Amino acid sequence: MAELAEAAADHYALNYSRHPVPVLFREVHATRALLTEVLAPGGASADLQRQVGRLSALLGNLAFHLEDFSGARTHLATAAAYADRCGDAALAAWTYGALSMVTRSTGNLPAALTYAERGAAAPRGLVRAQLHAWALLPTLALQGLDREATSALEEGLTELEADPVGEAPDRFGFDAAELALHQAEAHLALGRTAQARSRAESSAATCTTGTPGWAAATFVLAQAEASAQPSDAAQRGMDVLDRIPPSRLRSTARTRLKRLDSLLADCPADSVSDLRERLNTLPPPVDAHGAASA
């Protein structure tokens, strides 16, 4: 049973970005439900508990991408409990990073920093590098703590360089494109537009066009261009909407798109008007049950 559970968790983690979020949420939720039925109190192996924890972590991430923040916190708290129970320090660290991301998105920066600091005490190497870049760096940058944010980035880079592999695939993994994206958004938060543009360009260039990672980097690049090149910024936003169907736009993509629209609010360019019209006609997001959430 543990081997089958691991195969399922590996599949969902590796193919996370290939499926619409609502569809994947339902599949992962059903799989976890099947496994929890066989979790007898005190009788399940540590490895089976670990896989249930991984599936719970994936559900938390998926709920976040469906803009269900309370659901995300619930699933991630469950994942953290399973990680602690079976002694999986890497999964626990990742879960705290995800909790930091969720609370940061709701504006609760003190709680986000607490989760980020807890996650940053991760196993050395790639896991710790990810937590510094994904959780600590953006939280500190949003608080305007330039020196502390720079220190978090330097620590993450040091850990990344020390890791013998340097990157890992799937939802729990970390790579150069993700690092560059977090750097770009941190630079934006700290008012470093030129650096933000450079890192966003690097992230987008490393991603496959049309993927969620590419969309995220492109929207951040557009935000960095908004003040000096509003027409180009708006066209980048249009390019994402042309390539990615509304059903595959994550809540994070919609948030970045709204931020871009806000930055372009005072620009009279035709391309900006075209982007705003597309936004006004964009179908509402779909929840885990396939229904429009607004």
Side-chain angles (χ1 to χ4, degrees), residues 188-233:
L188 270 182
L190 293 168
R192 305 168 183 164
T193 305
Q195 295 95 319
R197 177 173 178 172
S198 174
R199 299 313 296 150
E201 285 178 333
S202 176
S203 182
T206 308
C207 294
T208 301
T209 300
T211 60
W214 170 82
T218 302
F219 281 141
V220 174
L221 175 55
Q223 291 171 30
E225 292 176 330
S227 60
Q229 298 170 283
S231 294
D232 290 346

mmCIF file of all heavy atoms in Angstrom, residues 188-233:
data_model
loop_
_atom_site.group_PDB
_atom_site.id
_atom_site.type_symbol
_atom_site.label_atom_id
_atom_site.label_comp_id
_atom_site.label_asym_id
_atom_site.label_seq_id
_atom_site.Cartn_x
_atom_site.Cartn_y
_atom_site.Cartn_z
ATOM 1 N N LEU A 188 10.949 43.965 -6.829
ATOM 2 C CA LEU A 188 9.810 44.863 -7.044
ATOM 3 C C LEU A 188 9.315 45.445 -5.733
ATOM 4 O O LEU A 188 9.044 46.649 -5.628
ATOM 5 C CB LEU A 188 8.668 44.116 -7.731
ATOM 6 C CG LEU A 188 8.627 44.094 -9.255
ATOM 7 C CD1 LEU A 188 7.387 43.342 -9.724
ATOM 8 C CD2 LEU A 188 8.629 45.507 -9.834
ATOM 9 N N ALA A 189 9.188 44.594 -4.728
ATOM 10 C CA ALA A 189 8.700 45.049 -3.425
ATOM 11 C C ALA A 189 9.630 46.077 -2.810
ATOM 12 O O ALA A 189 9.182 46.982 -2.081
ATOM 13 C CB ALA A 189 8.532 43.861 -2.485
ATOM 14 N N LEU A 190 10.914 45.962 -3.104
ATOM 15 C CA LEU A 190 11.907 46.875 -2.543
ATOM 16 C C LEU A 190 12.190 48.058 -3.461
ATOM 17 O O LEU A 190 13.082 48.867 -3.183
ATOM 18 C CB LEU A 190 13.205 46.113 -2.249
ATOM 19 C CG LEU A 190 13.106 45.071 -1.119
ATOM 20 C CD1 LEU A 190 14.341 44.178 -1.106
ATOM 21 C CD2 LEU A 190 12.930 45.771 0.225
ATOM 22 N N GLY A 191 11.443 48.169 -4.575
ATOM 23 C CA GLY A 191 11.585 49.309 -5.470
ATOM 24 C C GLY A 191 12.750 49.229 -6.427
ATOM 25 O O GLY A 191 13.138 50.244 -7.019
ATOM 26 N N ARG A 192 13.305 48.043 -6.625
ATOM 27 C CA ARG A 192 14.448 47.885 -7.538
ATOM 28 C C ARG A 192 13.935 47.409 -8.893
ATOM 29 O O ARG A 192 14.018 46.230 -9.249
ATOM 30 C CB ARG A 192 15.429 46.866 -6.976
ATOM 31 C CG ARG A 192 15.923 47.158 -5.566
ATOM 32 C CD ARG A 192 16.649 45.942 -5.027
ATOM 33 N NE ARG A 192 17.109 46.100 -3.662
ATOM 34 C CZ ARG A 192 17.486 45.080 -2.888
ATOM 35 N NH1 ARG A 192 17.428 43.846 -3.374
ATOM 36 N NH2 ARG A 192 17.897 45.285 -1.661
ATOM 37 N N THR A 193 13.431 48.324 -9.678
ATOM 38 C CA THR A 193 12.747 47.960 -10.916
ATOM 39 C C THR A 193 13.678 47.290 -11.930
ATOM 40 O O THR A 193 13.295 46.293 -12.552
ATOM 41 C CB THR A 193 12.114 49.205 -11.553
ATOM 42 O OG1 THR A 193 11.264 49.836 -10.588
ATOM 43 C CG2 THR A 193 11.279 48.834 -12.760
ATOM 44 N N ALA A 194 14.867 47.831 -12.109
ATOM 45 C CA ALA A 194 15.784 47.274 -13.101
ATOM 46 C C ALA A 194 16.183 45.837 -12.749
ATOM 47 O O ALA A 194 16.199 44.953 -13.611
ATOM 48 C CB ALA A 194 17.031 48.143 -13.214
ATOM 49 N N GLN A 195 16.488 45.610 -11.472
ATOM 50 C CA GLN A 195 16.851 44.253 -11.053
ATOM 51 C C GLN A 195 15.666 43.304 -11.189
ATOM 52 O O GLN A 195 15.838 42.136 -11.565
ATOM 53 C CB GLN A 195 17.355 44.259 -9.611
ATOM 54 C CG GLN A 195 18.654 45.026 -9.395
ATOM 55 C CD GLN A 195 18.414 46.451 -8.935
ATOM 56 O OE1 GLN A 195 17.507 47.129 -9.440
ATOM 57 N NE2 GLN A 195 19.213 46.909 -7.984
ATOM 58 N N ALA A 196 14.473 43.814 -10.880
ATOM 59 C CA ALA A 196 13.272 42.978 -11.008
ATOM 60 C C ALA A 196 13.073 42.556 -12.455
ATOM 61 O O ALA A 196 12.759 41.389 -12.743
ATOM 62 C CB ALA A 196 12.055 43.741 -10.501
ATOM 63 N N ARG A 197 13.254 43.487 -13.351
ATOM 64 C CA ARG A 197 13.083 43.169 -14.767
ATOM 65 C C ARG A 197 14.088 42.122 -15.223
ATOM 66 O O ARG A 197 13.722 41.165 -15.926
ATOM 67 C CB ARG A 197 13.238 44.440 -15.601
ATOM 68 C CG ARG A 197 13.144 44.181 -17.097
ATOM 69 C CD ARG A 197 13.126 45.459 -17.891
ATOM 70 N NE ARG A 197 13.071 45.180 -19.320
ATOM 71 C CZ ARG A 197 12.895 46.097 -20.266
ATOM 72 N NH1 ARG A 197 12.755 47.367 -19.924
ATOM 73 N NH2 ARG A 197 12.853 45.748 -21.533
ATOM 74 N N SER A 198 15.329 42.272 -14.804
ATOM 75 C CA SER A 198 16.366 41.328 -15.216
ATOM 76 C C SER A 198 16.071 39.918 -14.730
ATOM 77 O O SER A 198 16.170 38.945 -15.487
ATOM 78 C CB SER A 198 17.721 41.790 -14.667
ATOM 79 O OG SER A 198 18.729 40.829 -14.918
ATOM 80 N N ARG A 199 15.680 39.781 -13.460
ATOM 81 C CA ARG A 199 15.421 38.459 -12.912
ATOM 82 C C ARG A 199 14.138 37.848 -13.491
ATOM 83 O O ARG A 199 14.065 36.635 -13.727
ATOM 84 C CB ARG A 199 15.344 38.512 -11.384
ATOM 85 C CG ARG A 199 16.614 38.996 -10.704
ATOM 86 C CD ARG A 199 17.858 38.323 -11.260
ATOM 87 N NE ARG A 199 17.852 36.887 -11.012
ATOM 88 C CZ ARG A 199 18.425 35.979 -11.790
ATOM 89 N NH1 ARG A 199 19.039 36.344 -12.913
ATOM 90 N NH2 ARG A 199 18.376 34.696 -11.469
ATOM 91 N N ALA A 200 13.130 38.685 -13.735
ATOM 92 C CA ALA A 200 11.891 38.173 -14.335
ATOM 93 C C ALA A 200 12.148 37.689 -15.758
ATOM 94 O O ALA A 200 11.598 36.660 -16.187
ATOM 95 C CB ALA A 200 10.815 39.245 -14.318
ATOM 96 N N GLU A 201 12.953 38.424 -16.510
ATOM 97 C CA GLU A 201 13.307 37.992 -17.868
ATOM 98 C C GLU A 201 14.011 36.643 -17.830
ATOM 99 O O GLU A 201 13.740 35.758 -18.652
ATOM 100 C CB GLU A 201 14.204 39.033 -18.533
ATOM 101 C CG GLU A 201 13.474 40.288 -18.990
ATOM 102 C CD GLU A 201 14.421 41.302 -19.606
ATOM 103 O OE1 GLU A 201 15.621 41.301 -19.230
ATOM 104 O OE2 GLU A 201 13.968 42.087 -20.456
ATOM 105 N N SER A 202 14.919 36.480 -16.865
ATOM 106 C CA SER A 202 15.647 35.224 -16.741
ATOM 107 C C SER A 202 14.699 34.075 -16.399
ATOM 108 O O SER A 202 14.798 32.981 -16.973
ATOM 109 C CB SER A 202 16.716 35.350 -15.649
ATOM 110 O OG SER A 202 17.387 34.133 -15.441
ATOM 111 N N SER A 203 13.758 34.333 -15.482
ATOM 112 C CA SER A 203 12.804 33.295 -15.104
ATOM 113 C C SER A 203 11.928 32.895 -16.281
ATOM 114 O O SER A 203 11.740 31.702 -16.563
ATOM 115 C CB SER A 203 11.933 33.785 -13.945
ATOM 116 O OG SER A 203 11.025 32.778 -13.529
ATOM 117 N N ALA A 204 11.391 33.873 -16.984
ATOM 118 C CA ALA A 204 10.507 33.587 -18.116
ATOM 119 C C ALA A 204 11.251 32.822 -19.218
ATOM 120 O O ALA A 204 10.692 31.911 -19.843
ATOM 121 C CB ALA A 204 9.935 34.882 -18.672
ATOM 122 N N ALA A 205 12.504 33.195 -19.457
ATOM 123 C CA ALA A 205 13.286 32.554 -20.508
ATOM 124 C C ALA A 205 13.589 31.094 -20.174
ATOM 125 O O ALA A 205 13.760 30.265 -21.076
ATOM 126 C CB ALA A 205 14.584 33.313 -20.736
ATOM 127 N N THR A 206 13.645 30.783 -18.885
ATOM 128 C CA THR A 206 13.961 29.423 -18.463
ATOM 129 C C THR A 206 12.735 28.515 -18.499
ATOM 130 O O THR A 206 12.862 27.293 -18.578
ATOM 131 C CB THR A 206 14.549 29.439 -17.037
ATOM 132 O OG1 THR A 206 15.621 30.380 -16.986
ATOM 133 C CG2 THR A 206 15.099 28.083 -16.643
ATOM 134 N N CYS A 207 11.541 29.121 -18.446
ATOM 135 C CA CYS A 207 10.298 28.346 -18.414
ATOM 136 C C CYS A 207 9.808 28.021 -19.824
ATOM 137 O O CYS A 207 10.118 28.731 -20.779
ATOM 138 C CB CYS A 207 9.204 29.133 -17.693
ATOM 139 S SG CYS A 207 9.506 29.423 -15.948
ATOM 140 N N THR A 208 9.008 26.986 -19.922
ATOM 141 C CA THR A 208 8.342 26.663 -21.181
ATOM 142 C C THR A 208 7.172 27.609 -21.373
ATOM 143 O O THR A 208 6.358 27.795 -20.456
ATOM 144 C CB THR A 208 7.831 25.214 -21.177
ATOM 145 O OG1 THR A 208 8.941 24.332 -20.985
ATOM 146 C CG2 THR A 208 7.124 24.876 -22.474
ATOM 147 N N THR A 209 7.087 28.216 -22.538
ATOM 148 C CA THR A 209 6.004 29.156 -22.827
ATOM 149 C C THR A 209 4.643 28.488 -22.660
ATOM 150 O O THR A 209 4.419 27.372 -23.122
ATOM 151 C CB THR A 209 6.134 29.696 -24.266
ATOM 152 O OG1 THR A 209 7.395 30.358 -24.396
ATOM 153 C CG2 THR A 209 5.019 30.677 -24.570
ATOM 154 N N GLY A 210 3.749 29.192 -21.975
ATOM 155 C CA GLY A 210 2.405 28.687 -21.769
ATOM 156 C C GLY A 210 2.201 27.962 -20.456
ATOM 157 O O GLY A 210 1.066 27.630 -20.107
ATOM 158 N N THR A 211 3.274 27.732 -19.703
ATOM 159 C CA THR A 211 3.155 27.066 -18.411
ATOM 160 C C THR A 211 2.835 28.087 -17.320
ATOM 161 O O THR A 211 3.046 29.300 -17.500
ATOM 162 C CB THR A 211 4.453 26.349 -18.046
ATOM 163 O OG1 THR A 211 5.518 27.324 -17.977
ATOM 164 C CG2 THR A 211 4.800 25.290 -19.079
ATOM 165 N N PRO A 212 2.345 27.628 -16.158
ATOM 166 C CA PRO A 212 2.075 28.569 -15.063
ATOM 167 C C PRO A 212 3.311 29.356 -14.631
ATOM 168 O O PRO A 212 3.211 30.540 -14.301
ATOM 169 C CB PRO A 212 1.564 27.658 -13.944
ATOM 170 C CG PRO A 212 0.954 26.495 -14.656
ATOM 171 C CD PRO A 212 1.841 26.269 -15.851
ATOM 172 N N GLY A 213 4.473 28.707 -14.624
ATOM 173 C CA GLY A 213 5.694 29.407 -14.254
ATOM 174 C C GLY A 213 6.030 30.526 -15.221
ATOM 175 O O GLY A 213 6.455 31.613 -14.819
ATOM 176 N N TRP A 214 5.850 30.246 -16.500
ATOM 177 C CA TRP A 214 6.088 31.275 -17.516
ATOM 178 C C TRP A 214 5.112 32.428 -17.344
ATOM 179 O O TRP A 214 5.496 33.603 -17.451
ATOM 180 C CB TRP A 214 5.933 30.663 -18.909
ATOM 181 C CG TRP A 214 5.919 31.671 -20.006
ATOM 182 C CD1 TRP A 214 7.001 32.267 -20.600
ATOM 183 C CD2 TRP A 214 4.757 32.233 -20.645
ATOM 184 N NE1 TRP A 214 6.586 33.152 -21.568
ATOM 185 C CE2 TRP A 214 5.223 33.155 -21.614
ATOM 186 C CE3 TRP A 214 3.401 32.043 -20.492
ATOM 187 C CZ2 TRP A 214 4.351 33.886 -22.422
ATOM 188 C CZ3 TRP A 214 2.526 32.755 -21.296
ATOM 189 C CH2 TRP A 214 2.993 33.664 -22.239
ATOM 190 N N ALA A 215 3.845 32.125 -17.078
ATOM 191 C CA ALA A 215 2.846 33.179 -16.878
ATOM 192 C C ALA A 215 3.212 34.050 -15.692
ATOM 193 O O ALA A 215 3.137 35.294 -15.761
ATOM 194 C CB ALA A 215 1.466 32.557 -16.669
ATOM 195 N N ALA A 216 3.625 33.422 -14.582
ATOM 196 C CA ALA A 216 3.995 34.185 -13.389
ATOM 197 C C ALA A 216 5.156 35.126 -13.688
ATOM 198 O O ALA A 216 5.119 36.315 -13.354
ATOM 199 C CB ALA A 216 4.355 33.224 -12.254
ATOM 200 N N ALA A 217 6.198 34.599 -14.327
ATOM 201 C CA ALA A 217 7.369 35.425 -14.629
ATOM 202 C C ALA A 217 7.028 36.538 -15.612
ATOM 203 O O ALA A 217 7.527 37.673 -15.486
ATOM 204 C CB ALA A 217 8.483 34.545 -15.197
ATOM 205 N N THR A 218 6.171 36.256 -16.585
ATOM 206 C CA THR A 218 5.795 37.265 -17.575
ATOM 207 C C THR A 218 4.992 38.390 -16.937
ATOM 208 O O THR A 218 5.190 39.578 -17.250
ATOM 209 C CB THR A 218 4.993 36.623 -18.713
ATOM 210 O OG1 THR A 218 5.776 35.588 -19.320
ATOM 211 C CG2 THR A 218 4.628 37.647 -19.777
ATOM 212 N N PHE A 219 4.080 38.045 -16.039
ATOM 213 C CA PHE A 219 3.315 39.075 -15.345
ATOM 214 C C PHE A 219 4.220 39.946 -14.466
ATOM 215 O O PHE A 219 4.043 41.167 -14.381
ATOM 216 C CB PHE A 219 2.222 38.449 -14.479
ATOM 217 C CG PHE A 219 1.003 38.017 -15.251
ATOM 218 C CD1 PHE A 219 0.338 36.837 -14.928
ATOM 219 C CD2 PHE A 219 0.506 38.781 -16.297
ATOM 220 C CE1 PHE A 219 -0.788 36.437 -15.630
ATOM 221 C CE2 PHE A 219 -0.619 38.383 -17.015
ATOM 222 C CZ PHE A 219 -1.273 37.209 -16.668
ATOM 223 N N VAL A 220 5.194 39.331 -13.802
ATOM 224 C CA VAL A 220 6.120 40.106 -12.973
ATOM 225 C C VAL A 220 6.991 40.997 -13.855
ATOM 226 O O VAL A 220 7.256 42.161 -13.514
ATOM 227 C CB VAL A 220 6.979 39.165 -12.102
ATOM 228 C CG1 VAL A 220 8.052 39.965 -11.353
ATOM 229 C CG2 VAL A 220 6.096 38.421 -11.105
ATOM 230 N N LEU A 221 7.429 40.474 -14.992
ATOM 231 C CA LEU A 221 8.197 41.285 -15.935
ATOM 232 C C LEU A 221 7.370 42.474 -16.406
ATOM 233 O O LEU A 221 7.870 43.611 -16.491
ATOM 234 C CB LEU A 221 8.628 40.424 -17.121
ATOM 235 C CG LEU A 221 9.343 41.132 -18.283
ATOM 236 C CD1 LEU A 221 10.566 41.892 -17.787
ATOM 237 C CD2 LEU A 221 9.727 40.115 -19.355
ATOM 238 N N ALA A 222 6.107 42.249 -16.700
ATOM 239 C CA ALA A 222 5.226 43.336 -17.124
ATOM 240 C C ALA A 222 5.076 44.378 -16.025
ATOM 241 O O ALA A 222 5.066 45.595 -16.294
ATOM 242 C CB ALA A 222 3.860 42.777 -17.513
ATOM 243 N N GLN A 223 4.977 43.935 -14.783
ATOM 244 C CA GLN A 223 4.892 44.887 -13.674
ATOM 245 C C GLN A 223 6.145 45.754 -13.595
ATOM 246 O O GLN A 223 6.075 46.958 -13.341
ATOM 247 C CB GLN A 223 4.691 44.140 -12.360
ATOM 248 C CG GLN A 223 3.346 43.460 -12.208
ATOM 249 C CD GLN A 223 3.291 42.575 -10.986
ATOM 250 O OE1 GLN A 223 3.952 42.820 -9.980
ATOM 251 N NE2 GLN A 223 2.498 41.513 -11.067
ATOM 252 N N ALA A 224 7.303 45.133 -13.827
ATOM 253 C CA ALA A 224 8.559 45.886 -13.783
ATOM 254 C C ALA A 224 8.651 46.888 -14.921
ATOM 255 O O ALA A 224 9.321 47.923 -14.801
ATOM 256 C CB ALA A 224 9.735 44.919 -13.834
ATOM 257 N N GLU A 225 7.979 46.615 -16.039
ATOM 258 C CA GLU A 225 8.017 47.510 -17.197
ATOM 259 C C GLU A 225 6.917 48.574 -17.160
ATOM 260 O O GLU A 225 6.940 49.512 -17.964
ATOM 261 C CB GLU A 225 7.842 46.700 -18.482
ATOM 262 C CG GLU A 225 9.001 45.776 -18.811
ATOM 263 C CD GLU A 225 8.721 44.938 -20.053
ATOM 264 O OE1 GLU A 225 7.532 44.630 -20.315
ATOM 265 O OE2 GLU A 225 9.681 44.591 -20.752
ATOM 266 N N ALA A 226 5.951 48.423 -16.275
ATOM 267 C CA ALA A 226 4.720 49.225 -16.336
ATOM 268 C C ALA A 226 4.965 50.731 -16.310
ATOM 269 O O ALA A 226 4.312 51.477 -17.049
ATOM 270 C CB ALA A 226 3.786 48.828 -15.192
ATOM 271 N N SER A 227 5.883 51.196 -15.499
ATOM 272 C CA SER A 227 6.074 52.645 -15.369
ATOM 273 C C SER A 227 6.795 53.242 -16.573
ATOM 274 O O SER A 227 6.442 54.331 -17.038
ATOM 275 C CB SER A 227 6.855 52.960 -14.092
ATOM 276 O OG SER A 227 8.128 52.328 -14.114
ATOM 277 N N ALA A 228 7.798 52.546 -17.099
ATOM 278 C CA ALA A 228 8.600 53.088 -18.195
ATOM 279 C C ALA A 228 8.104 52.657 -19.577
ATOM 280 O O ALA A 228 8.261 53.395 -20.554
ATOM 281 C CB ALA A 228 10.063 52.669 -18.027
ATOM 282 N N GLN A 229 7.522 51.476 -19.679
ATOM 283 C CA GLN A 229 7.072 50.945 -20.972
ATOM 284 C C GLN A 229 5.667 50.348 -20.833
ATOM 285 O O GLN A 229 5.476 49.135 -20.963
ATOM 286 C CB GLN A 229 8.052 49.884 -21.469
ATOM 287 C CG GLN A 229 9.459 50.407 -21.719
ATOM 288 C CD GLN A 229 10.450 49.280 -21.968
ATOM 289 O OE1 GLN A 229 10.890 48.605 -21.046
ATOM 290 N NE2 GLN A 229 10.769 49.062 -23.235
ATOM 291 N N PRO A 230 4.680 51.175 -20.558
ATOM 292 C CA PRO A 230 3.329 50.656 -20.287
ATOM 293 C C PRO A 230 2.723 49.867 -21.441
ATOM 294 O O PRO A 230 2.026 48.869 -21.220
ATOM 295 C CB PRO A 230 2.522 51.920 -19.980
ATOM 296 C CG PRO A 230 3.300 53.047 -20.590
ATOM 297 C CD PRO A 230 4.735 52.649 -20.468
ATOM 298 N N SER A 231 2.978 50.280 -22.675
ATOM 299 C CA SER A 231 2.425 49.552 -23.816
ATOM 300 C C SER A 231 2.995 48.139 -23.903
ATOM 301 O O SER A 231 2.267 47.167 -24.149
ATOM 302 C CB SER A 231 2.682 50.308 -25.116
ATOM 303 O OG SER A 231 1.977 51.535 -25.133
ATOM 304 N N ASP A 232 4.311 48.020 -23.694
ATOM 305 C CA ASP A 232 4.943 46.704 -23.707
ATOM 306 C C ASP A 232 4.419 45.840 -22.566
ATOM 307 O O ASP A 232 4.183 44.645 -22.737
ATOM 308 C CB ASP A 232 6.461 46.851 -23.590
ATOM 309 C CG ASP A 232 7.088 47.441 -24.839
ATOM 310 O OD1 ASP A 232 6.400 47.491 -25.889
ATOM 311 O OD2 ASP A 232 8.261 47.846 -24.779
ATOM 312 N N ALA A 233 4.253 46.465 -21.411
ATOM 313 C CA ALA A 233 3.757 45.732 -20.244
ATOM 314 C C ALA A 233 2.356 45.191 -20.511
ATOM 315 O O ALA A 233 2.056 44.027 -20.213
ATOM 316 C CB ALA A 233 3.759 46.635 -19.023
#
